[in-house]
Amino acid sequence: MKLTLFFLLMLALIQYNCFAQKREQEKIDSLLFLLKNYKWACQDTCLGDSNKINILNSLVRKLSLRKTDTALVLGNEALRLSEKINWQIGLGHSFENIGWVHFKKSDYAPALQFYSKALDIWNHLLTHSITKELPTSIILRK
């Protein structure tokens, strides 16, 4: 009885794991389809291209555990496009994701460098956003 129950439990866990892997692969396939068929009127030159950067960064996260080399290539492409259109949020996510991939590869020195760059960008954006949105009277008050 205990052996049968154990066997059924193990079978259920295996099926759940297979289902989860299948769903994850479906997400990756969907992102790859979006990337392959991505078109924008001002390709690689405008903030509208932030959609492509978001797709690339999502793929980097999804592939970071199984295909680290592919994830790094895609992460560097997201970084290049973010720099090209000067999109700071895209840069922050790209640096963070590339750092994550290096961390997963146990390349801790480059991971730390990329995380540090991401942190600098997030701090800059936070500071800039706060001072931009607050009324001048509050900023000047000490």
Side-chain angles (χ1 to χ4, degrees), residues 8-20:
L8 289 174
L9 180 62
M10 291 305 292
L11 184 60
L13 288 173
I14 290 170
Q15 284 180 330
Y16 176 78
N17 190 29
C18 290
F19 179 72

Side-chain angles (χ1 to χ4, degrees), residues 7 13 44 55 60 66 77 86 93 108 112 122 131 140:
F7 177 73
L13 288 173
D44 290 347
I55 294 168
V60 171
R66 292 183 278 158
E77 178 65 10
N86 195 27
H93 285 299
Y108 300 118
L112 186 59
W122 297 135
T131 57
L140 298 177

Side-chain angles (χ1 to χ4, degrees), residues 88-103:
Q88 296 300 303
I89 293 172
L91 281 170
H93 285 299
S94 298
F95 282 131
E96 188 177 333
N97 287 335
I98 294 170
W100 172 252
V101 175
H102 280 292
F103 178 79

Side-chain angles (χ1 to χ4, degrees), residues 76-125:
N76 284 317
E77 178 65 10
L79 184 61
R80 183 191 70 77
L81 286 175
S82 297
E83 288 172 339
K84 189 172 188 174
I85 65 173
N86 195 27
W87 188 40
Q88 296 300 303
I89 293 172
L91 281 170
H93 285 299
S94 298
F95 282 131
E96 188 177 333
N97 287 335
I98 294 170
W100 172 252
V101 175
H102 280 292
F103 178 79
K104 294 314 275 179
K105 290 179 72 168
S106 300
D107 294 336
Y108 300 118
L112 186 59
Q113 290 173 344
F114 282 101
Y115 277 137
S116 178
K117 289 178 183 180
L119 185 60
D120 289 343
I121 288 173
W122 297 135
N123 282 332
H124 171 74
L125 287 173

Side-chain angles (χ1 to χ4, degrees), residues 23-123:
R23 286 196 49 136
E24 193 67 20
Q25 187 59 48
E26 288 172 354
K27 290 177 187 176
I28 291 170
D29 292 343
S30 295
L31 288 167
L32 288 171
F33 177 81
L34 288 172
L35 184 62
K36 181 180 176 186
N37 296 302
Y38 180 80
K39 292 193 180 12
W40 189 259
C42 56
Q43 194 84 354
D44 290 347
T45 59
C46 68
L47 194 57
D49 211 43
S50 62
N51 293 324
K52 185 174 185 178
I53 296 165
N54 287 333
I55 294 168
L56 287 165
N57 277 321
S58 294
L59 271 168
V60 171
R61 278 293 200 189
K62 298 286 183 196
L63 296 173
S64 64
L65 298 177
R66 292 183 278 158
K67 297 182 179 181
T68 54
D69 292 334
T70 303
L72 281 177
V73 169
L74 295 173
N76 284 317
E77 178 65 10
L79 184 61
R80 183 191 70 77
L81 286 175
S82 297
E83 288 172 339
K84 189 172 188 174
I85 65 173
N86 195 27
W87 188 40
Q88 296 300 303
I89 293 172
L91 281 170
H93 285 299
S94 298
F95 282 131
E96 188 177 333
N97 287 335
I98 294 170
W100 172 252
V101 175
H102 280 292
F103 178 79
K104 294 314 275 179
K105 290 179 72 168
S106 300
D107 294 336
Y108 300 118
L112 186 59
Q113 290 173 344
F114 282 101
Y115 277 137
S116 178
K117 289 178 183 180
L119 185 60
D120 289 343
I121 288 173
W122 297 135
N123 282 332

